[in-house]
């Protein structure tokens, strides 16, 4: 199964329309891939808080329509990264969209762990509550977004729900790039799963982005890693590697459940 990650340069001097069109063209060039992955909040930038409300869209908005058409034209599964979603309840959510090769919106995931502590996304957006898995013909994806990467229990939940590969769109800052790489590898090793972590390039809202999108195999080996600029990574994933790793080194079977609520 061939996967491509497009590490988009989120340049604040490029309009959202122009970026959307440019990304659509990049997707259409990837017909030989089975799955294409985009980063978090790439229309506006994950740190451009003041744009979230103005650029928020529904799941049938301009970005969703453009991504649906790009997925259909390329005939690929498209994880279109996330958009600032205006929910039916009026609240904003950081929502990832997955389109099937016929352009249907097959799945969406609202980011569960919001970043910013007492500001930014954490106060501007609502939190998701549902784990989302995406069964593809060869393997099942588990969805997470950026800051979620710091919460291993979410990934264990996704493994329990059948995930073999995690897709993690992000807008991770350069300042904590070492954490990004370390956590991507840690999630792969502890859950014996592929990790496809796709970040952004450039600087927006004054926050230099880490880039360095990364694909890690279920043994923790880095299969591909981007530099800091706009770049597309393409890797071949072997679903058997997940099953073989889990069988040859069956650590997941040694889990002791129920340790997360210590007695006081
Ligand atoms: O956890 C981090 O260091 C970065 C998280 C982040 O930037 C985000 O979730 O948008």
């Amino acid at each position: 199964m061939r996967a491509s990650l497009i590490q988009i340069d989120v340049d604040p001097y490029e309009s959202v329309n122009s970026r959307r069109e440019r990304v659509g063209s990049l997707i259409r060039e990837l017909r030989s891939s089975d799955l294409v992955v985009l980063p978090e909040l790439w229309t506006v930038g994950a740190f451009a808080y003041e744009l979230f409300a103005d650029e928020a869209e529904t799941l049938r908005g301009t970005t969703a329509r453009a991504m649906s058409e790009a997925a259909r034209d390329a005939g690929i599964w498209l994880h279109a990264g996330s958009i600032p979603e205006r929910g039916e309840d009026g609240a904003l959510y950081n929502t990832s969209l997955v389109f099937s090769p016929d352009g249907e919106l097959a799945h969406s995931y609202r980011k569960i762990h919001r970043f910013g502590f007492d500001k930014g996304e954490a106060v501007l957006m609502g939190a998701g509550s549902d784990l989302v898995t995406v069964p593809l013909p060869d393997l099942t994806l588990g969805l997470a977004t950026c800051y979620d990467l710091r919460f291993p229990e979410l990934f264990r939940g996704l493994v329990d729900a059948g995930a073999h590969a995690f897709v993690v769109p992000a807008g991770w800052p350069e300042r904590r790039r070492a954490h990004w790489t370390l956590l991507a590898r840690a999630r792969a090793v502890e859950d014996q799963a592929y990790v496809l972590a796709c970040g952004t390039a450039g600087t927006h809202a004054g926050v230099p982005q880490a880039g360095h999108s990364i694909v890690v195999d279920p043994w923790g080996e880095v299969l591909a890693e981007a530099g800091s600029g706009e770049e597309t990574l393409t890797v071949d994933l072997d679903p058997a590697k997940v099953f073989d790793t889990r069988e040859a080194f069956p650590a997941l079977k040694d889990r002791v459940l129920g340790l997360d609520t210590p007695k006081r």
Side-chain angles (χ1 to χ4, degrees):
M1 177 185 166
R2 180 160 294 178
S4 294
L5 283 59
I6 308 179
Q7 176 171 289
I8 300 166
D9 185 347
V10 179
D11 177 350
Y13 297 104
E14 180 182 34
S15 71
V16 172
N17 272 338
S18 149
R19 184 153 47 249
R20 205 163 24 224
E21 278 176 27
R22 197 165 59 73
V23 168
S25 304
L26 292 172
I27 295 166
R28 288 178 174 86
E29 286 170 15
L30 294 168
R31 288 189 172 79
S32 63
S33 290
D34 302 296
L35 170 69
V36 174
V37 178
L38 308 182
E40 178 189 32
L41 298 179
W42 56 271
T43 54
V44 283
F47 286 88
Y49 305 136
E50 70 287 354
L51 298 179
F52 286 178
D54 285 350
E55 295 292 344
E57 304 178 47
T58 69
L59 298 188
R60 286 177 200 77
T62 313
T63 302
R65 285 199 305 276
M67 294 299 104
S68 157
E69 285 165 18
R72 197 191 53 218
D73 292 349
I76 45 102
W77 282 91
L78 174 64
H79 183 308
S82 70
I83 58 164
E85 180 206 346
R86 176 71 68 188
E88 282 166 5
D89 58 0
L92 295 178
Y93 296 93
N94 185 340
T95 303
S96 292
L97 310 175
V98 179
F99 296 91
S100 64
D102 58 8
E104 286 300 308
L105 177 61
H107 299 271
S108 63
Y109 164 68
R110 286 177 171 168
K111 184 177 182 182
I112 292 176
H113 303 93
R114 295 159 300 163
F115 182 63
F117 308 109
D118 54 358
K119 52 184 178 0
E121 179 188 43
V123 294
L124 295 171
M125 287 181 164
S129 53
D130 297 334
L131 295 187
V132 177
T133 55
V134 178
L136 299 187
D138 294 334
L139 44 71
T140 295
L141 308 178
L143 305 192
T145 306
C146 202
Y147 188 47
D148 282 334
L149 193 57
R150 293 186 181 272
F151 300 88
E153 60 276 17
L154 167 62
F155 291 79
R156 275 287 152 89
L158 291 168
V159 167
D160 288 341
H164 307 116
F166 303 124
V167 182
V168 190
W172 200 277
E174 165 61 21
R175 197 158 161 254
R176 294 184 293 279
R177 170 149 70 88
H179 294 190
W180 163 253
T181 311
L182 183 68
L183 290 166
R185 294 190 71 186
R187 298 295 86 89
V189 171
E190 73 194 357
D191 294 311
Q192 303 184 311
Y194 282 103
V195 171
L196 286 70
C198 182
T200 52
T203 296
H204 65 268
V207 182
Q209 294 293 288
H212 284 262
S213 297
I214 190 167
V215 180
V216 190
D217 80 5
W219 192 248
E221 299 294 333
V222 176
L223 299 183
E225 182 172 348
S228 54
E230 184 160 297
E231 185 175 338
T232 299
L233 292 180
T234 296
V235 288
D236 287 319
L237 310 180
D238 177 6
K241 215 166 181 178
V242 179
F243 307 114
D244 292 348
T245 305
R246 290 180 182 179
E247 198 175 307
F249 194 82
L252 285 173
K253 287 190 185 149
D254 280 339
R255 289 166 66 192
V256 178
L257 301 176
L259 294 177
D260 52 345
T261 46
K263 293 188 179 69
R264 290 179 189 274

